[in-house]
């Protein structure tokens, strides 16, 4: 198979779909890889590094899209990129389609085979291709939130961990999944007072076993959520419904009642965000103020640490890339239900139920669509 790796063009996005080591693996399996000029430069890999492991360098994204049978990316294709996606081409990347009607429409019209990292599942019930970036984003959320609390960022002017004789900031984390648990780890390490809310008692037990009395775990009722959001200096939103839009758990009224200079970090912004006041921002302009509350809603948070993020992502995606290339997409999907769960759009049909429901589109069972 001919695999193409274009350069990412989203604002301040320096990650790349495949590092040279991953390219080497595919070449060893007998496949050809084309890489756009300077695709890996953001993490220190030159065109020569890719050529040294057998890749061919192309001058433009147009050439990569025109030739490749499968496109491997990091972020969802922007409008400028989507016009190059063609009928029958495999697209393997993060898509986050549920809140993104224009992208969904373009991918349907393209006739391509679109497999989303974020909805591929595992036998344990997890999301193995989303987990690495959730780990990064969860840890980064506390770093970003700590900066948002600084007065120069219009924050409350608090040091997250306080100092002897001065109370630390209270951090409320909504959701105890991968994002939440990683956010909690960093927040505890920085000396903050941490409260984590979740509706799953087993999740709360796991968090309690992991952190002991250094974190307060709370069942997320409406009353508890409101209480701990309003009393916090920093609120982290880390909720996820696979493939679907994030639920708006924190209302405009709750944000209005938060402490002046408090901060929110919405890690769920890729799926629409879990604060009613959230709107996607970029690394170039990451924050805005609503009712004296600093909002950090960068839609590609891990892009700020592209070296770490790219390698973490490649570690997870490479086995699936090899399977798709070795077997062809139809056999690979037919033999792996968990990979099949990643199929969001197939030749004009929406094949992920949550995406279809979010946009009131017709859902076609992926097995029916594929004829398997």
């Amino acid at each position: 198979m001919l695999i193409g790796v274009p350069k990412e063009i989203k604002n301040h996005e320096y990650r790349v779909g495949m590092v040279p080591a991953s390219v080497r693996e595919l070449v060893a399996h007998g496949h050809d890889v084309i890489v756009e000029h300077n695709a890996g430069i953001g993490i220190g890999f030159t065109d020569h590094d890719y050529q040294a492991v057998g890749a061919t360098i192309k001058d433009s994204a147009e050439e990569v899209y025109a030739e490749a049978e499968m496109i491997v990316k990091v972020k969802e294709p922007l409008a400028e990129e989507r016009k190059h996606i063609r009928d029958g081409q495999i697209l393997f990347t993060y898509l986050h389609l549920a809140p993104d009607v224009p992208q969904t429409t373009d991918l349907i019209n393209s006739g391509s085979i679109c497999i989303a990292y974020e909805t591929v599942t595992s036998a344990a019930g997890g999301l193995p291709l989303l987990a690495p970036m959730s780990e990064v984003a969860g840890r980064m959320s506390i770093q970003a939130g700590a900066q948002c609390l600084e007065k120069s960022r219009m924050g409350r002017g608090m040091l997250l961990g306080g100092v002897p004789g001065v109370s630390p900031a209270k951090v409320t984390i909504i959701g105890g999944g991968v994002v939440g648990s990683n956010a909690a780890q960093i927040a505890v390490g920085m000396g903050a007072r941490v409260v984590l809310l979740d509706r799953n008692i087993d999740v709360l037990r796991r968090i309690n076993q992991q952190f002991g009395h250094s974190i307060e775990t709370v069942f997320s009722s409406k009353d508890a959520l409101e209480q701990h959001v309003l009393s916090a200096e920093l609120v982290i939103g880390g909720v996820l419904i696979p493939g679907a839009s994030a639920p708006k758990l924190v209302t405009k009224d709750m944000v209005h009642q938060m402490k002046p200079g408090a901060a929110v970090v919405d890690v769920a912004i890729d799926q629409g965000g879990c604060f009613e006041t959230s709107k996607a921002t970029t690394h170039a302009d990451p924050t805005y103020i609503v009712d004296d509350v600093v909002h950090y809603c960068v839609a590609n948070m891990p892009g700020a640490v592209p070296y770490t993020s790219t390698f973490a992502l490649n570690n997870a995606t490479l086995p699936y890339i090899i399977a798709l290339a070795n077997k062809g997409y139809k056999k690979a999907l037919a033999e792996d239900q968990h990979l099949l769960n990643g199929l969001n759009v197939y030749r004009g049909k929406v094949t992920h139920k949550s995406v279809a429901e979010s946009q009131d589109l017709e859902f076609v069972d992926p097995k029916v669509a594929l004829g398997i």
Side-chain angles (χ1 to χ4, degrees):
M1 184 180 285
L2 178 57
I3 297 104
V5 183
K7 186 175 182 179
E8 299 294 325
I9 63 171
K10 194 164 187 171
N11 178 271
H12 283 269
E13 181 54 75
Y14 304 106
R15 290 174 290 180
V16 62
M18 293 174 62
V19 297
S22 297
V23 171
R24 183 178 180 181
E25 290 291 323
L26 281 163
V27 170
H29 280 269
H31 305 292
D32 296 313
V33 182
I34 54 177
V35 178
E36 185 182 350
H37 170 59
N38 277 343
I41 203 70
I43 57 170
F45 289 118
T46 65
D47 290 347
H48 176 74
D49 293 325
Y50 283 98
Q51 290 170 319
V53 294
T56 300
I57 302 300
K58 297 294 179 178
D59 290 332
S60 66
E62 289 85 349
E63 291 178 86
V64 174
Y65 281 97
E67 297 180 26
E69 297 170 77
M70 176 165 64
I71 296 292
V72 177
K73 279 177 48 58
V74 178
K75 289 305 294 178
E76 72 281 353
L78 303 183
E80 179 183 337
E81 299 170 291
R82 297 197 294 269
K83 66 185 180 182
H84 300 304
I85 299 171
R86 66 178 195 274
D87 184 68
Q89 191 169 50
I90 305 163
L91 176 64
F92 194 33
T93 188
Y94 288 115
L95 292 175
H96 301 291
L97 290 179
D100 192 342
V101 174
Q103 185 192 180
T104 305
T105 301
D106 286 348
L107 293 182
I108 289 171
N109 292 336
S110 73
S112 57
I113 297 102
C114 306
I115 305 169
Y117 292 161
E118 74 273 9
T119 61
V120 173
T121 57
S122 69
L127 301 170
L129 305 190
L130 185 61
M133 296 304 94
S134 295
E135 289 171 340
V136 172
R139 294 178 182 218
M140 285 188 66
S141 69
I142 301 300
Q143 294 180 192
Q147 291 183 329
C148 289
L149 288 177
E150 295 174 10
K151 200 64 176 178
S152 62
R153 308 292 179 94
M154 304 300 291
R156 197 164 174 80
M158 290 187 72
L159 183 64
L160 199 66
V163 293
V166 182
S167 297
K170 176 180 176 179
V171 178
T172 294
I173 300 171
I174 306 171
V178 178
V179 168
S181 60
N182 278 272
Q185 181 177 342
I186 303 303
V188 168
M190 293 180 72
R193 176 192 168 201
V194 183
V195 176
L196 185 144
L197 297 97
D198 201 284
R199 296 186 65 86
N200 187 322
I201 294 296
D202 289 333
V203 168
L204 296 179
R205 288 194 180 105
R206 172 177 56 79
I207 295 294
N208 184 68
Q209 290 173 350
Q210 181 178 356
F211 295 102
H213 296 297
S214 58
I215 285 183
E216 181 182 349
T217 56
V218 177
F219 182 81
S220 187
S221 64
K222 290 184 181 297
D223 186 73
L225 181 66
E226 180 175 312
Q227 174 189 337
H228 289 289
V229 166
L230 299 190
S231 60
E233 278 77 39
L234 172 61
V235 181
I236 307 295
V239 296
L240 173 71
I241 301 174
S245 296
K248 303 294 186 184
L249 298 180
V250 179
T251 65
K252 292 179 181 178
D253 183 61
M254 290 165 67
V255 171
H256 180 70
Q257 295 180 65
M258 288 178 68
K259 298 175 181 179
V264 302
V265 177
D266 197 343
V267 186
I269 193 64
D270 277 323
Q271 294 293 114
C274 59
F275 297 80
E276 280 191 344
T277 48
S278 289
K279 61 181 181 181
T281 61
T282 67
H283 288 292
D285 189 15
T287 62
Y288 59 94
I289 310 295
V290 176
D291 290 331
D292 293 323
V293 174
V294 184
H295 286 59
Y296 182 100
C297 304
V298 174
N300 59 327
M301 286 179 65
V305 287
Y307 187 91
T308 300
S309 298
T310 297
F311 275 93
L313 181 59
N314 269 228
N315 291 343
T317 58
L318 183 59
Y320 297 93
I321 297 169
I322 290 173
L324 288 163
N326 284 355
K327 301 177 182 179
Y329 76 84
K330 186 168 283 191
K331 185 178 181 183
L333 292 168
E335 292 182 355
D336 186 346
Q337 177 63 48
H338 298 295
L339 181 59
L340 183 62
N341 290 337
L343 187 65
N344 280 211
V345 177
Y346 177 75
R347 294 184 178 271
K349 302 178 179 68
V350 178
T351 52
H352 194 283
K353 194 169 185 179
S354 294
V355 173
E357 290 175 348
S358 293
Q359 299 185 26
D360 197 25
L361 297 169
E362 180 184 358
F363 165 69
V364 179
D365 185 280
K367 290 184 177 178
V368 173
L370 286 163
I372 57 177

